[in-house]
Coordinates of all heavy atoms in Angstrom, one line a residue:
M979 N 151.5 97.5 158.4 CA 151.7 97.7 159.8 C 153.1 98.2 160.1 O 153.8 97.6 160.9 CB 151.3 96.5 160.6 CG 149.9 95.9 160.3 SD 148.6 97.1 160.7 CE 148.6 96.9 162.5
G980 N 153.6 99.2 159.4 CA 155.0 99.5 159.4 C 155.6 99.8 160.7 O 156.5 99.1 161.1
F981 N 155.0 100.7 161.5 CA 155.7 101.1 162.7 C 155.6 100.0 163.8 O 156.4 99.9 164.7 CB 155.2 102.4 163.3 CG 153.8 102.4 163.8 CD1 153.6 101.9 165.1 CD2 152.8 102.9 163.1 CE1 152.3 101.9 165.6 CE2 151.5 103.0 163.6 CZ 151.2 102.5 164.8
L982 N 154.6 99.1 163.7 CA 154.6 98.0 164.6 C 155.8 97.1 164.6 O 156.1 96.4 165.5 CB 153.3 97.2 164.5 CG 152.0 97.9 165.0 CD1 150.8 97.0 164.7 CD2 152.1 98.2 166.4
E983 N 156.4 97.0 163.4 CA 157.6 96.2 163.3 C 158.7 96.8 164.1 O 159.7 96.1 164.4 CB 158.0 96.1 161.8 CG 156.9 95.3 161.0 CD 157.2 95.3 159.5 OE1 158.2 95.9 159.1 OE2 156.3 94.8 158.8
S984 N 158.7 98.1 164.3 CA 159.7 98.7 165.2 C 159.2 98.9 166.6 O 159.7 99.8 167.3 CB 160.2 100.0 164.5 OG 159.1 100.9 164.4
F985 N 158.3 98.1 167.0 CA 157.7 98.2 168.3 C 158.5 97.5 169.3 O 158.5 96.2 169.3 CB 156.3 97.6 168.2 CG 155.4 97.8 169.4 CD1 154.5 98.8 169.4 CD2 155.4 96.9 170.4 CE1 153.6 99.0 170.4 CE2 154.6 97.1 171.5 CZ 153.7 98.1 171.5
N986 N 159.3 98.2 170.0 CA 160.3 97.5 170.8 C 160.0 97.7 172.3 O 159.4 98.7 172.7 CB 161.7 98.1 170.6 CG 162.1 97.9 169.1 OD1 162.0 96.8 168.6 ND2 162.6 99.0 168.5
R987 N 160.3 96.8 173.1 CA 160.2 96.9 174.6 C 161.5 96.7 175.3 O 162.4 96.1 174.8 CB 159.1 96.0 175.1 CG 159.5 94.5 175.2 CD 158.4 93.7 175.8 NE 158.2 94.2 177.2 CZ 157.2 93.7 177.9 NH1 156.4 92.8 177.5 NH2 157.1 94.1 179.2
G988 N 161.5 97.3 176.5 CA 162.7 97.1 177.3 C 163.9 97.9 177.0 O 165.0 97.6 177.3
L989 N 163.7 99.1 176.4 CA 164.8 99.9 176.0 C 165.5 100.5 177.2 O 166.7 100.5 177.3 CB 164.3 101.0 175.0 CG 163.9 100.5 173.6 CD1 163.4 101.7 172.8 CD2 165.1 99.9 172.9
S990 N 164.7 101.1 178.1 CA 165.3 101.7 179.2 C 164.6 101.3 180.5 O 164.9 101.8 181.6 CB 165.2 103.2 179.1 OG 163.9 103.7 178.9
G991 N 163.7 100.3 180.4 CA 163.0 99.8 181.6 C 162.3 98.5 181.2 O 162.0 98.3 180.1
D992 N 161.9 97.8 182.2 CA 161.2 96.5 181.9 C 159.9 96.6 181.2 O 159.6 95.8 180.4 CB 161.0 95.7 183.3 CG 162.3 95.2 183.9 OD1 163.3 95.1 183.1 OD2 162.3 95.0 185.1
D993 N 159.2 97.7 181.4 CA 157.9 97.8 180.9 C 157.6 99.0 180.1 O 156.5 99.5 179.9 CB 156.9 97.7 182.0 CG 157.0 96.4 182.8 OD1 156.8 95.3 182.2 OD2 157.3 96.5 184.0
Q994 N 158.7 99.6 179.5 CA 158.6 100.7 178.7 C 158.5 100.3 177.2 O 159.1 99.3 176.8 CB 159.7 101.7 178.8 CG 159.7 102.4 180.2 CD 160.8 103.5 180.2 OE1 161.8 103.4 179.7 NE2 160.5 104.6 180.9
Y995 N 157.8 101.0 176.4 CA 157.6 100.7 175.0 C 158.0 101.9 174.2 O 157.7 103.1 174.6 CB 156.1 100.4 174.7 CG 155.7 99.1 175.4 CD1 155.3 99.1 176.7 CD2 155.7 97.9 174.7 CE1 154.9 97.9 177.4 CE2 155.3 96.7 175.3 CZ 154.9 96.7 176.7 OH 154.6 95.6 177.3
E996 N 158.5 101.7 173.0 CA 158.8 102.7 172.1 C 158.1 102.5 170.8 O 158.2 101.4 170.2 CB 160.3 102.8 171.8 CG 160.7 103.9 170.9 CD 162.2 104.0 170.6 OE1 163.0 103.8 171.5 OE2 162.6 104.2 169.4
I997 N 157.4 103.5 170.4 CA 156.6 103.4 169.1 C 157.0 104.6 168.3 O 157.0 105.7 168.7 CB 155.1 103.4 169.3 CG1 154.8 102.1 170.1 CG2 154.4 103.4 168.0 CD1 153.3 101.9 170.4
A998 N 157.4 104.3 167.0 CA 157.8 105.4 166.1 C 158.8 106.3 166.7 O 158.8 107.5 166.5 CB 156.5 106.2 165.7
G999 N 159.7 105.7 167.4 CA 160.9 106.5 167.9 C 160.6 107.3 169.2 O 161.5 108.0 169.6
R1000 N 159.5 107.1 169.8 CA 159.2 107.9 171.0 C 158.8 106.9 172.1 O 158.0 105.9 171.9 CB 158.0 108.9 170.8 CG 158.4 110.0 169.8 CD 157.2 110.9 169.6 NE 156.6 111.4 170.9 CZ 157.0 112.6 171.4 NH1 157.9 113.3 170.8 NH2 156.5 113.0 172.5
I1001 N 159.3 107.1 173.3 CA 158.8 106.3 174.5 C 157.4 106.6 174.7 O 157.0 107.8 174.8 CB 159.7 106.6 175.7 CG1 161.1 106.3 175.5 CG2 159.1 105.9 176.9 CD1 161.4 104.8 175.3
V1002 N 156.6 105.5 174.8 CA 155.2 105.7 175.1 C 154.9 106.2 176.5 O 155.4 105.6 177.5 CB 154.4 104.4 174.8 CG1 152.9 104.6 175.1 CG2 154.6 103.9 173.4
A1003 N 154.2 107.3 176.7 CA 153.9 107.8 178.0 C 152.3 107.9 178.1 O 151.7 108.3 177.1 CB 154.5 109.2 178.2
C1004 N 151.8 107.6 179.3 CA 150.4 107.7 179.5 C 149.9 109.1 179.3 O 150.5 110.1 179.8 CB 150.1 107.2 180.9 SG 148.4 107.4 181.4
S1005 N 148.8 109.3 178.5 CA 148.3 110.6 178.3 C 147.5 111.1 179.5 O 147.2 112.3 179.5 CB 147.4 110.6 177.0 OG 146.3 109.7 177.2
H1006 N 147.3 110.3 180.4 CA 146.6 110.7 181.6 C 147.5 111.1 182.8 O 147.5 112.2 183.3 CB 145.6 109.7 182.1 CG 144.8 110.1 183.4 ND1 143.9 111.0 183.4 CD2 144.9 109.7 184.6 CE1 143.4 111.2 184.6 NE2 144.0 110.4 185.4
C1007 N 148.4 110.2 183.1 CA 149.3 110.4 184.3 C 150.7 110.6 183.9 O 151.5 111.0 184.8 CB 149.1 109.3 185.3 SG 149.9 107.8 184.9
G1008 N 151.1 110.4 182.7 CA 152.5 110.5 182.2 C 153.4 109.3 182.6 O 154.5 109.4 182.3
G1009 N 152.8 108.3 183.1 CA 153.6 107.1 183.4 C 154.1 106.4 182.2 O 153.5 106.6 181.1
E1010 N 155.2 105.7 182.3 CA 155.9 105.1 181.2 C 156.0 103.6 181.3 O 156.7 103.0 180.6 CB 157.3 105.7 181.0 CG 157.2 107.2 180.6 CD 158.6 107.8 180.4 OE1 159.6 107.1 180.7 OE2 158.7 108.9 179.8
E1011 N 155.2 103.0 182.2 CA 155.2 101.6 182.4 C 153.8 101.0 182.0 O 152.8 101.5 182.5 CB 155.6 101.2 183.8 CG 157.0 101.5 184.2 CD 157.4 101.1 185.6 OE1 156.4 101.0 186.4 OE2 158.5 100.8 185.8
F1012 N 153.8 100.0 181.1 CA 152.6 99.5 180.6 C 152.6 98.0 180.5 O 153.6 97.4 180.4 CB 152.3 100.0 179.1 CG 152.2 101.5 179.0 CD1 153.2 102.3 178.9 CD2 150.9 102.1 179.1 CE1 153.1 103.7 178.8 CE2 150.7 103.4 179.0 CZ 151.8 104.3 178.9
D1013 N 151.4 97.4 180.6 CA 151.2 96.0 180.2 C 150.6 96.0 178.8 O 149.8 96.9 178.4 CB 150.1 95.4 181.1 CG 150.7 95.0 182.5 OD1 151.9 94.6 182.5 OD2 150.0 95.2 183.5
E1014 N 151.1 95.1 178.0 CA 150.7 95.0 176.6 C 149.5 94.1 176.4 O 149.5 93.0 177.0 CB 151.8 94.6 175.7 CG 151.4 94.5 174.2 CD 152.6 94.1 173.3 OE1 153.7 93.9 173.9 OE2 152.4 94.0 172.1
R1015 N 148.5 94.5 175.7 CA 147.4 93.6 175.3 C 147.1 93.7 173.8 O 147.5 94.7 173.2 CB 146.1 94.0 176.1 CG 146.2 93.9 177.6 CD 146.1 92.5 178.1 NE 146.0 92.4 179.5 CZ 147.1 92.4 180.3 NH1 148.3 92.5 179.8 NH2 146.9 92.4 181.6
S1016 N 146.5 92.8 173.3 CA 146.0 92.9 171.9 C 144.5 92.9 171.9 O 143.9 92.3 172.9 CB 146.5 91.8 171.0 OG 146.1 90.6 171.4
A1017 N 143.9 93.6 171.0 CA 142.4 93.7 171.0 C 141.9 93.5 169.6 O 142.5 93.9 168.6 CB 142.0 95.0 171.5
Q1018 N 140.8 92.8 169.5 CA 140.1 92.6 168.2 C 139.1 93.8 168.0 O 138.4 94.1 168.9 CB 139.4 91.3 168.1 CG 140.3 90.1 168.3 CD 141.4 90.1 167.2 OE1 141.2 90.1 166.0 NE2 142.7 90.0 167.7
L1019 N 139.1 94.3 166.8 CA 138.2 95.4 166.6 C 137.0 94.9 165.8 O 137.1 94.0 165.0 CB 138.9 96.5 165.7 CG 140.2 97.1 166.3 CD1 140.8 98.1 165.3 CD2 139.9 97.8 167.6
N1020 N 135.9 95.5 166.2 CA 134.7 95.3 165.4 C 134.6 96.2 164.2 O 134.3 97.4 164.3 CB 133.5 95.5 166.3 CG 132.2 95.3 165.6 OD1 132.1 95.0 164.4 ND2 131.1 95.4 166.3
T1021 N 135.0 95.7 163.1 CA 135.2 96.6 161.9 C 133.8 97.0 161.4 O 133.8 98.0 160.6 CB 135.9 95.9 160.8 OG1 135.3 94.6 160.5 CG2 137.4 95.6 161.2
A1022 N 132.7 96.4 161.8 CA 131.4 96.8 161.4 C 131.2 98.3 161.8 O 130.6 99.1 161.1 CB 130.3 95.9 162.0
G1023 N 131.7 98.6 163.0 CA 131.5 100.0 163.4 C 132.6 100.9 163.0 O 132.5 102.1 163.1
L1024 N 133.6 100.4 162.3 CA 134.8 101.2 161.9 C 134.8 101.5 160.4 O 135.5 102.4 160.0 CB 136.1 100.6 162.4 CG 136.3 100.5 163.9 CD1 137.6 99.7 164.2 CD2 136.4 101.9 164.5
S1025 N 134.0 100.7 159.7 CA 134.2 100.8 158.2 C 133.9 102.2 157.7 O 134.6 102.7 156.9 CB 133.1 99.8 157.6 OG 133.5 98.5 157.8
F1026 N 132.9 102.8 158.3 CA 132.6 104.2 157.8 C 133.6 105.2 158.2 O 133.6 106.3 157.8 CB 131.2 104.6 158.3 CG 131.1 104.9 159.7 CD1 131.1 106.2 160.2 CD2 130.9 103.9 160.6 CE1 131.0 106.5 161.5 CE2 130.8 104.1 162.0 CZ 130.8 105.5 162.4
L1027 N 134.5 104.8 159.1 CA 135.5 105.7 159.6 C 136.8 105.5 158.7 O 137.9 106.0 159.0 CB 135.9 105.5 161.0 CG 134.8 105.9 162.0 CD1 135.2 105.6 163.4 CD2 134.4 107.4 161.9
D1028 N 136.7 104.6 157.7 CA 137.9 104.3 156.9 C 139.0 103.7 157.6 O 140.2 103.9 157.3 CB 138.4 105.6 156.2 CG 138.1 105.7 154.7 OD1 137.6 104.6 154.2 OD2 138.3 106.7 154.1
L1029 N 138.7 102.8 158.6 CA 139.7 102.1 159.3 C 139.8 100.7 159.0 O 140.4 99.9 159.7 CB 139.4 102.3 160.8 CG 139.6 103.7 161.4 CD1 139.2 103.7 162.8 CD2 141.1 104.1 161.3
D1030 N 139.3 100.3 157.8 CA 139.4 98.9 157.4 C 140.8 98.4 157.3 O 141.1 97.3 157.5 CB 138.6 98.7 156.1 CG 137.1 98.6 156.3 OD1 136.7 98.2 157.3 OD2 136.4 99.0 155.3
W1031 N 141.7 99.3 156.9 CA 143.1 99.0 156.8 C 143.7 98.5 158.1 O 144.7 97.8 158.1 CB 143.9 100.2 156.3 CG 143.7 101.4 157.2 CD1 142.8 102.4 157.0 CD2 144.5 101.7 158.4 NE1 143.0 103.3 158.0 CE2 144.0 102.9 158.9 CE3 145.5 101.1 159.0 CZ2 144.5 103.5 160.0 CZ3 146.0 101.6 160.2 CH2 145.5 102.8 160.7
A1032 N 143.1 98.7 159.2 CA 143.6 98.3 160.5 C 143.6 96.8 160.7 O 144.2 96.3 161.6 CB 142.9 99.0 161.6
N1033 N 142.8 96.2 159.8 CA 142.9 94.7 159.8 C 142.5 94.1 161.1 O 143.0 93.0 161.5 CB 144.3 94.2 159.4 CG 144.3 92.8 158.8 OD1 143.3 92.4 158.3 ND2 145.4 92.1 158.9
R1034 N 141.5 94.7 161.8 CA 140.8 94.1 162.8 C 141.6 93.8 164.1 O 141.1 93.1 165.0 CB 140.2 92.7 162.3 CG 139.2 92.9 161.2 CD 138.6 91.6 160.8 NE 137.7 91.7 159.6 CZ 138.2 91.9 158.4 NH1 139.5 91.9 158.1 NH2 137.3 92.0 157.4
S1035 N 142.8 94.3 164.2 CA 143.4 94.1 165.5 C 144.2 95.3 165.9 O 144.6 96.1 165.0 CB 144.4 92.9 165.4 OG 145.5 93.2 164.6
A1036 N 144.4 95.5 167.2 CA 145.1 96.7 167.7 C 145.9 96.2 168.8 O 145.7 95.2 169.5 CB 144.0 97.7 168.2
T1037 N 147.0 97.0 169.1 CA 147.8 96.9 170.3 C 147.3 97.8 171.3 O 147.1 99.0 171.1 CB 149.3 97.1 170.0 OG1 149.7 96.1 169.0 CG2 150.1 97.0 171.2
V1038 N 147.1 97.3 172.5 CA 146.6 98.2 173.6 C 147.7 98.1 174.7 O 148.1 97.1 175.2 CB 145.3 97.7 174.2 CG1 144.8 98.6 175.3 CG2 144.3 97.5 173.0
L1039 N 148.1 99.3 175.2 CA 149.0 99.4 176.3 C 148.2 99.9 177.5 O 147.5 100.9 177.4 CB 150.2 100.3 176.0 CG 151.1 99.9 174.9 CD1 152.2 100.9 174.7 CD2 151.6 98.5 175.1
V1040 N 148.3 99.1 178.6 CA 147.5 99.5 179.8 C 148.5 100.1 180.8 O 149.5 99.5 181.2 CB 146.9 98.2 180.4 CG1 146.0 98.6 181.7 CG2 146.0 97.5 179.4
C1041 N 148.3 101.4 181.2 CA 149.1 102.1 182.1 C 149.1 101.3 183.5 O 148.1 101.0 184.0 CB 148.7 103.5 182.3 SG 149.6 104.4 183.5
K1042 N 150.3 101.0 184.0 CA 150.4 100.3 185.2 C 150.1 101.3 186.4 O 149.8 100.8 187.5 CB 151.8 99.8 185.4 CG 152.1 98.5 184.6 CD 153.4 97.8 185.0 CE 153.4 96.4 184.4 NZ 154.6 95.7 184.9
H1043 N 150.1 102.5 186.2 CA 149.9 103.5 187.3 C 148.4 103.8 187.5 O 147.9 103.8 188.6 CB 150.7 104.8 187.1 CG 152.2 104.5 187.0 ND1 152.9 104.3 188.1 CD2 153.0 104.4 186.0 CE1 154.2 104.1 187.8 NE2 154.3 104.1 186.5
C1044 N 147.8 104.1 186.4 CA 146.4 104.5 186.5 C 145.4 103.7 185.8 O 144.2 103.9 185.9 CB 146.2 106.0 186.1 SG 146.3 106.2 184.3
G1045 N 145.8 102.8 184.9 CA 144.9 101.9 184.2 C 144.4 102.5 182.9 O 143.6 101.8 182.2
H1046 N 144.9 103.6 182.5 CA 144.5 104.2 181.3 C 144.9 103.4 180.1 O 146.0 102.8 180.1 CB 145.1 105.6 181.1 CG 144.7 106.3 179.9 ND1 143.5 107.0 179.7 CD2 145.4 106.5 178.7 CE1 143.5 107.5 178.5 NE2 144.6 107.3 177.9
L1047 N 144.1 103.3 179.1 CA 144.4 102.5 177.9 C 144.9 103.4 176.8 O 144.3 104.4 176.4 CB 143.2 101.7 177.4 CG 142.5 100.8 178.4 CD1 141.3 100.1 177.7 CD2 143.4 99.8 178.9
E1048 N 146.0 103.0 176.2 CA 146.5 103.7 175.0 C 146.4 102.7 173.8 O 146.9 101.6 173.9 CB 148.0 104.1 175.2 CG 148.2 105.1 176.3 CD 147.9 106.5 175.9 OE1 147.5 106.7 174.7 OE2 148.0 107.4 176.8
W1049 N 145.7 103.1 172.8 CA 145.5 102.2 171.6 C 146.4 102.5 170.5 O 146.6 103.7 170.1 CB 144.0 102.4 171.2 CG 143.0 101.8 172.1 CD1 142.6 102.4 173.3 CD2 142.3 100.6 171.9 NE1 141.7 101.6 173.9 CE2 141.4 100.5 173.1 CE3 142.2 99.7 170.9 CZ2 140.5 99.4 173.2 CZ3 141.3 98.6 171.1 CH2 140.5 98.5 172.2
F1050 N 146.9 101.5 169.8 CA 147.7 101.7 168.6 C 147.2 100.7 167.6 O 147.1 99.5 167.8 CB 149.2 101.4 168.9 CG 149.8 102.4 169.9 CD1 149.7 102.1 171.3 CD2 150.3 103.6 169.5 CE1 150.2 103.0 172.2 CE2 150.8 104.5 170.4 CZ 150.8 104.2 171.7
L1051 N 146.9 101.2 166.4 CA 146.5 100.3 165.3 C 147.7 99.9 164.5 O 148.6 100.6 164.3 CB 145.5 101.0 164.4 CG 144.2 101.4 165.1 CD1 143.3 102.1 164.1 CD2 143.5 100.2 165.6
Ligands
ZN1668 ZN1 148.5 106.5 183.5

């Protein structure tokens, strides 16, 4: 889970996140403020997609402006 170790918050605002060196922006509205959630994945449905390495959990950022979910494994 390499880049998750560099998953930092609060760099330039209370609710901004940086992943892999880029500020996370909502792909729908372009907002940069998120609430963080974690999610368990049902790997039964993901095995054939070769996502077993994701180890059954994901980070989910919920856009505070529009509610769009951004998923990071
Ligand atoms: Zn948004």
Side-chain angles (χ1 to χ4, degrees):
M979 305 300 283
F981 71 78
L982 284 181
E983 292 170 6
S984 59
F985 190 96
N986 301 313
R987 70 176 298 175
L989 290 177
S990 53
D992 287 339
D993 299 301
Q994 289 188 325
Y995 294 82
E996 180 180 319
I997 295 178
R1000 294 176 57 92
I1001 297 294
V1002 179
C1004 175
S1005 60
H1006 179 70
C1007 75
E1010 295 181 347
E1011 293 182 332
F1012 295 88
D1013 284 321
E1014 181 180 357
R1015 298 284 187 274
S1016 62
Q1018 299 302 306
L1019 300 179
N1020 179 355
T1021 54
L1024 294 173
S1025 294
F1026 73 98
L1027 294 176
D1028 250 354
L1029 289 175
D1030 281 331
W1031 55 266
N1033 202 23
R1034 299 179 184 79
S1035 69
T1037 298
V1038 183
L1039 297 181
V1040 183
C1041 177
K1042 286 191 166 187
H1043 297 282
C1044 73
H1046 180 77
L1047 304 182
E1048 299 280 356
W1049 289 74
F1050 297 90
L1051 296 180

